[in-house]
Short mmCIF file of all heavy atoms in Angstrom, two decimals:
data_model
loop_
_atom_site.label_atom_id
_atom_site.label_comp_id
_atom_site.label_asym_id
_atom_site.label_seq_id
_atom_site.Cartn_x
_atom_site.Cartn_y
_atom_site.Cartn_z
N ASN A 10 70.43 92.81 125.12
CA ASN A 10 69.51 91.95 125.83
C ASN A 10 69.83 91.75 127.32
O ASN A 10 69.08 91.23 128.04
CB ASN A 10 69.24 90.69 125.13
CG ASN A 10 68.61 90.83 123.82
OD1 ASN A 10 67.94 91.94 123.64
ND2 ASN A 10 68.75 89.98 122.89
N LYS A 24 80.82 100.95 122.12
CA LYS A 24 81.63 100.42 121.06
C LYS A 24 80.70 100.07 119.88
O LYS A 24 81.07 100.22 118.73
CB LYS A 24 82.57 99.16 121.40
CG LYS A 24 83.69 99.65 122.18
CD LYS A 24 84.50 98.35 122.46
CE LYS A 24 85.44 98.52 123.46
NZ LYS A 24 86.23 97.27 123.79
N ILE A 65 81.67 111.48 118.27
CA ILE A 65 80.82 111.59 117.15
C ILE A 65 80.11 113.09 117.20
O ILE A 65 80.34 113.76 118.12
CB ILE A 65 79.55 110.54 117.27
CG1 ILE A 65 78.77 110.63 118.60
CG2 ILE A 65 80.04 109.09 117.07
CD1 ILE A 65 77.46 109.74 118.58
N LEU A 82 71.09 113.25 111.91
CA LEU A 82 72.06 112.29 111.49
C LEU A 82 73.41 112.40 112.27
O LEU A 82 73.77 113.48 112.57
CB LEU A 82 72.41 112.36 110.02
CG LEU A 82 71.26 112.07 109.16
CD1 LEU A 82 71.58 112.39 107.71
CD2 LEU A 82 70.93 110.59 109.18
N LYS A 87 85.32 113.65 112.43
CA LYS A 87 86.53 113.47 111.54
C LYS A 87 87.86 113.76 112.25
O LYS A 87 88.75 113.04 112.15
CB LYS A 87 86.25 114.41 110.37
CG LYS A 87 87.41 114.23 109.35
CD LYS A 87 87.14 115.19 108.15
CE LYS A 87 88.34 115.00 107.17
NZ LYS A 87 88.15 115.48 105.86
N VAL A 99 106.94 98.81 96.66
CA VAL A 99 108.14 98.14 96.47
C VAL A 99 109.17 99.23 96.03
O VAL A 99 110.34 99.14 96.46
CB VAL A 99 108.02 97.08 95.33
CG1 VAL A 99 109.35 96.43 94.93
CG2 VAL A 99 107.09 95.93 95.73
N THR A 146 97.47 109.52 116.90
CA THR A 146 97.21 108.52 117.86
C THR A 146 97.57 107.09 117.33
O THR A 146 97.53 106.17 118.27
CB THR A 146 95.70 108.59 118.31
OG1 THR A 146 94.91 108.29 117.11
CG2 THR A 146 95.29 109.88 118.82
N ALA A 166 107.81 89.96 102.95
CA ALA A 166 107.53 90.91 101.79
C ALA A 166 108.41 90.55 100.60
O ALA A 166 109.52 91.17 100.54
CB ALA A 166 107.53 92.39 102.19
N GLU A 177 107.86 96.88 115.72
CA GLU A 177 108.09 97.58 117.04
C GLU A 177 109.48 97.61 117.49
O GLU A 177 109.91 98.52 118.18
CB GLU A 177 107.06 97.08 118.05
CG GLU A 177 105.63 97.48 117.78
CD GLU A 177 104.70 96.91 118.74
OE1 GLU A 177 104.87 95.79 119.29
OE2 GLU A 177 103.60 97.59 118.92
N ASP A 178 110.29 96.65 116.98
CA ASP A 178 111.71 96.69 117.33
C ASP A 178 112.45 97.78 116.55
O ASP A 178 113.42 98.41 117.02
CB ASP A 178 112.46 95.40 116.94
CG ASP A 178 112.05 94.23 117.90
OD1 ASP A 178 111.37 94.57 118.94
OD2 ASP A 178 112.33 93.08 117.62
N SER A 203 82.21 101.55 99.99
CA SER A 203 81.59 101.42 98.78
C SER A 203 80.12 100.89 99.07
O SER A 203 79.84 99.85 99.75
CB SER A 203 82.26 100.29 97.95
OG SER A 203 83.46 100.82 97.48
N ALA A 306 95.17 90.24 80.40
CA ALA A 306 93.85 90.29 81.06
C ALA A 306 93.33 88.85 81.18
O ALA A 306 92.83 88.46 82.24
CB ALA A 306 92.88 90.96 80.04
N VAL A 317 86.77 82.53 92.11
CA VAL A 317 85.25 82.54 92.05
C VAL A 317 84.75 81.04 92.35
O VAL A 317 83.82 80.91 93.17
CB VAL A 317 84.79 83.03 90.62
CG1 VAL A 317 83.37 82.69 90.48
CG2 VAL A 317 85.00 84.47 90.58
N ASN A 318 85.45 80.11 91.84
CA ASN A 318 84.96 78.73 92.11
C ASN A 318 85.07 78.30 93.58
O ASN A 318 84.35 77.49 94.17
CB ASN A 318 85.71 77.77 91.27
CG ASN A 318 85.15 77.81 89.70
OD1 ASN A 318 84.18 78.40 89.45
ND2 ASN A 318 85.89 77.22 88.88
N LEU A 324 81.23 89.93 94.58
CA LEU A 324 82.01 90.95 93.94
C LEU A 324 83.52 90.68 93.96
O LEU A 324 84.12 90.27 94.80
CB LEU A 324 81.80 92.18 94.84
CG LEU A 324 82.00 93.58 94.29
CD1 LEU A 324 81.21 93.88 93.04
CD2 LEU A 324 81.71 94.71 95.22
N ASN A 371 94.63 100.75 99.52
CA ASN A 371 95.35 100.25 100.69
C ASN A 371 95.68 101.26 101.66
O ASN A 371 95.73 101.13 102.79
CB ASN A 371 96.55 99.35 100.35
CG ASN A 371 97.36 99.84 99.22
OD1 ASN A 371 96.83 100.45 98.26
ND2 ASN A 371 98.66 99.83 99.40
#
Side-chain angles (χ1 to χ4, degrees):
N10 292 337
K24 281 188 198 176
I65 60 172
L82 293 172
K87 183 175 179 167
V99 174
T146 63
E177 288 177 327
D178 285 352
S203 297
V317 164
N318 287 346
L324 200 57
N371 41 320

